[in-house]
Amino acid sequence: MLPGLKAGFTLDARLEADSEQLMWLGLCELRVMNDRRWPWLLLVPQRPGAEEIHDMTPLDQAMLTFETNMVAQALKKVTGCTKINTGALGNIVRQLHIHVIARSEGDAGWPGPVWGHGMREPYQGSDLRRFAETIKAAL
């Protein structure tokens, strides 16, 4: 079994297709959304069947809050963004995952939401690796 992988846990195929693994945290797998328009991270709690935060134990909920805040602080530090957007929508991908997105005045779609705005612009390989390493260093 891979480090950090929880028995019975499978990552949703859409999350796997749209993002790249960055690292394992205590509860979550941290992933980078492959859209260079915004510095965008995903936290995916490694709990089979979890669709909502309230589906998890209180201890897991507390850990998710801690990891989300830690990632948000690192993303803000690295990007110098105006605002961090954090959300768990799950309308299309039911598997519980938390979006942490760095937003700045003048970015694509500011001040509106990132969802449904234009077409995804994938990173070039070296740019994705550079961003990932910067985030890892900040954590």
Side-chain angles (χ1 to χ4, degrees):
M1 189 177 297
L2 295 173
L5 187 62
K6 304 299 183 217
F9 178 83
T10 304
L11 182 65
D12 183 278
R14 290 163 293 198
L15 294 178
E16 190 165 7
D18 291 345
S19 63
E20 298 290 329
Q21 183 184 33
L22 184 79
M23 64 188 299
W24 296 96
L25 303 172
L27 172 68
C28 297
E29 178 182 356
L30 181 60
R31 300 183 67 86
V32 177
M33 192 67 145
N34 193 5
D35 190 340
R36 65 183 180 86
R37 296 175 297 166
W38 301 282
W40 186 342
L41 303 172
L42 295 173
L43 290 100
V44 185
Q46 304 295 288
R47 294 297 184 256
E51 292 184 359
E52 308 288 352
I53 294 171
H54 63 256
D55 290 339
M56 297 191 311
T57 66
L59 182 58
D60 281 350
Q61 292 173 31
M63 191 66 172
L64 179 60
T65 299
F66 173 79
E67 290 179 4
T68 300
N69 291 338
M70 181 176 67
V71 166
Q73 288 172 340
L75 188 58
K76 185 148 187 154
K77 177 182 175 185
V78 162
T79 64
C81 65
T82 305
K83 182 78 174 94
I84 292 288
N85 291 176
T86 306
L89 300 168
N91 296 343
I92 295 173
V93 175
R94 296 292 176 148
Q95 182 174 54
L96 179 60
H97 60 287
I98 310 298
H99 298 267
V100 181
I101 310 162
R103 300 295 307 276
S104 294
E105 293 177 36
D107 73 19
W110 179 269
V114 298
W115 291 276
H117 181 83
M119 297 295 295
R120 183 167 66 110
E121 297 177 18
Y123 283 96
Q124 299 299 318
S126 60
D127 293 337
L128 181 61
R129 284 189 298 279
R130 191 175 310 111
F131 176 58
E133 290 306 317
T134 304
I135 293 296
K136 283 182 185 180
L139 288 169

